[in-house]
Amino acid sequence: MVHKIIIAFVILTPLVLSSVINNNVEKCNLSYSIKKEIESYKGFATKIINSVNNQFKHSTYNHLDDFINAYGNRIAGSKNLENAIDYILKKSDLYNLENVHGEEVQVPHWVRGEESATLLYPRYKDLPMLGLGSSVGTPPEGIRAKAVVVSSFDELHKLSKTVKGKIVVYNEKYRNYGDTVVYRRDGASIASQYGAVATLIGSITPFSLATAHTGWQQYAENITKIPTACITKEDANLLHGMYKRRKPIYIEIKMEARTLTSATSRNIVAEIVGNKLPDKVVVISGHIDSWDVGEGAIDDGVGAFVSWNALAILKALGLTARRTIRTILWTAEEEGYIGAFAYAKAHQNETRNLDFVMESDTGTFSPLGFTYSGLPEVGCILQEILNLFTELNITNVQSPIDGGPDISKWVSDGVPGAALFGNLERYFWYHHSAADTMVAVQPDELDQATALWAATSFIIANLSFDMPKHLTPYQFKENDV
Ligand SMILES: *[C@@H]1O[C@H](CO)[C@@H](O)[C@H](O)[C@H]1NC(C)=O
Ligand SMILES: *[C@@H]1O[C@H](CO)[C@@H](O)[C@H](O)[C@H]1NC(C)=O
Ligand SMILES: *[C@@H]1O[C@H](CO)[C@@H](O)[C@H](O)[C@H]1NC(C)=O
Ligand SMILES: *[C@@H]1O[C@H](CO)[C@@H](O)[C@H](O)[C@H]1NC(C)=O
Ligand SMILES: *[C@@H]1O[C@H](CO)[C@@H](O)[C@H](O)[C@H]1NC(C)=O
Ligand SMILES: [Zn+2]
């Protein structure tokens, strides 16, 4: 997976949200009949909220807790991920979901192995670290080298002549995820150009209690692949302090990381088939894979289980909409949206039938509403729908979509799409770290997100009109994925 995808990710996930249309509903030109039609779902929305708060109270949390307890983290290529996928498929049948199946896709299989980083001089200190996905390992005896510490790529460029044979440490400042994650993604490639032998990068998080955060990295073409890992923000800061005091810094890094041959995984699909327009589809989704540390509870256990349980609840309530509601749990999101892009490609001829696509992959912390992309009318329709959720305080509609990596291909093709919008700051505290466990998950917040997901997907799937869209035909090129 090439640069393009990662660039798409960065473009689609600027955490600076613009063109807020909340409170600007008066600028919307929805017809009286459309407004009336959506308002007529007030009773339905209340019914879903009440069901989730009573009959199904904490059911999303409890399902997720069982699942996480049994499987833990689920990295692409692992047998454990496939076992976890089998479990969801089996449970989906048990809940009488329709057209339940897995769709095969080839995924990368990177394994971490044993790894360590140690500060040897000016004083001895273990440096907790996590190797980055796709990183090469070190020779068995490790790499021992002097370190250069910088706070930005600009600083590295200025010091480029001093970098050869050294370990480059980045102590970058966190701005927002999209702007900061470039250090994790490109840090090794940029340092390698100047002859660095390894890179250690301050973890990409706005807040730290000395945890390292992993994630994908991307070697540029034609550079020497050097081992690369994230260390804690605390240690990045410490090393920077030593460097500024002109202390010679020596570090030893040992990593067994390697990439095995690619493996077969599956996207999980389950539906409630529409009773009037079965070929037209509303998608609700999250990813089933995770990193290989922590438990993959918030990234993206919550998004996957909200999308799955919302469908199971609609089914249990005997609700069938005019259009099909399809839950998709993507595989290999963490390696660059591999499952999602393969699915979009395999189903390219159905893109025009996608009425609306939704994704939750930024946690369920304090659900506030939606970020969306699409024609302005889409925002107006979402705002009308959220008017049915005032009792949950879920009323925000903002554009563009922020944090919908797996639906990004469709959204860039003009399919209207939305992501769950909540407290991103809290999400990135835990993201890709050993702290991504059920302790970070709030059962009530999962209920709110589940109610929103179930009611919104049903209402959109049941409207008398399709979501407005302007498709931009896109031809897949082989090197896209
Ligand atoms: C509503 O109509 C006005 C005037 O035609 C236009 O400027 C505005 O962009 C429209 N708003 C939406 C959300 O379509
Ligand atoms: C990488 O090297 C190959 C062969 O020398 C060359 O054809 C290609 O353009 C290079 N790619 C980049 C991005 O420099
Ligand atoms: C898309 O293509 C597949 C396989 O060729 C076919 O089975 C399916 O009916 C097509 N769907 C549409 C909407 O054209
Ligand atoms: C909604 O917000 C109001 C005012 O901030 C607060 O009193 C109320 O408890 C909130 N309700 C929920 C369900 O969070
Ligand atoms: C779904 O739409 C149909 C047809 O417009 C309508 O009869 C039905 O009441 C709607 N379902 C709900 C739950 O509102
Ligand atoms: Zn995720």
Side-chain angles (χ1 to χ4, degrees), residues 94-299:
L94 211 62
Y95 298 149
N96 294 318
L97 301 181
E98 300 161 30
N99 294 335
V100 173
H101 64 283
E103 296 198 14
E104 291 192 350
V105 44
Q106 291 303 112
V107 301
H109 190 190
W110 176 82
V111 290
R112 172 180 306 285
E114 293 293 315
E115 57 184 13
S116 65
T118 313
L119 175 62
L120 302 173
Y121 192 89
R123 60 181 164 94
Y124 187 90
K125 186 182 184 300
D126 179 46
L127 303 173
M129 54 84 91
L130 286 172
L132 299 182
S134 83
S135 177
V136 296
T138 65
E141 69 276 15
I143 291 175
R144 277 183 179 208
K146 202 171 174 183
V148 173
V149 187
V150 298
S151 60
S152 66
F153 289 134
D154 279 348
E155 252 181 68
L156 180 65
H157 296 318
K158 282 181 196 138
L159 294 173
S160 60
K161 294 213 168 54
T162 71
V163 168
K164 195 166 164 45
K166 309 258 173 62
I167 294 170
V168 168
V169 178
Y170 294 97
N171 179 36
E172 79 287 353
K173 189 175 162 54
Y174 185 89
R175 294 177 213 289
N176 56 56
Y177 187 72
D179 286 351
T180 317
V181 76
V182 293
Y183 285 90
R184 188 187 79 207
R185 185 193 71 192
D186 302 334
S189 295
I190 292 175
S192 175
Q193 284 175 3
Y194 298 135
V197 292
T199 43
L200 294 175
I201 299 151
S203 288
I204 313 302
T205 180
F207 175 80
S208 182
L209 292 174
T211 42
H213 298 241
T214 188
W216 192 248
Q217 73 92 35
Q218 183 72 41
Y219 290 122
E221 269 184 63
N222 298 351
I223 53 111
T224 304
K225 295 180 178 182
I226 58 173
T228 182
C230 276
I231 56 174
T232 68
K233 281 171 81 85
E234 287 83 349
D235 284 336
N237 181 64
L238 172 71
L239 295 170
H240 204 184
M242 290 171 170
Y243 189 75
K244 286 176 184 162
R245 288 170 178 81
R246 302 183 183 281
K247 302 261 171 64
I249 301 169
Y250 288 88
I251 295 174
E252 180 178 83
I253 302 173
K254 288 186 177 170
M255 290 170 63
E256 289 180 354
R258 64 199 193 284
T259 298
L260 308 179
T261 51
S262 67
T264 303
S265 185
R266 289 159 292 168
N267 292 311
I268 299 170
V269 180
E271 296 181 339
I272 297 175
V273 176
N275 57 18
K276 288 288 185 310
L277 300 165
D279 290 343
K280 295 202 172 170
V281 180
V282 172
V283 170
I284 49 181
S285 68
H287 66 88
I288 192 67
D289 68 300
S290 75
W291 278 108
D292 60 335
V293 295
E295 305 277 9
I298 63 141
D299 186 11

Side-chain angles (χ1 to χ4, degrees), residues 45-64:
T46 304
K47 174 179 157 171
I48 295 290
I49 292 167
N50 288 342
S51 299
V52 170
N53 283 335
N54 295 292
Q55 185 185 351
F56 299 103
K57 190 167 183 64
H58 295 174
S59 63
T60 306
Y61 181 91
N62 292 335
H63 287 318
L64 179 63

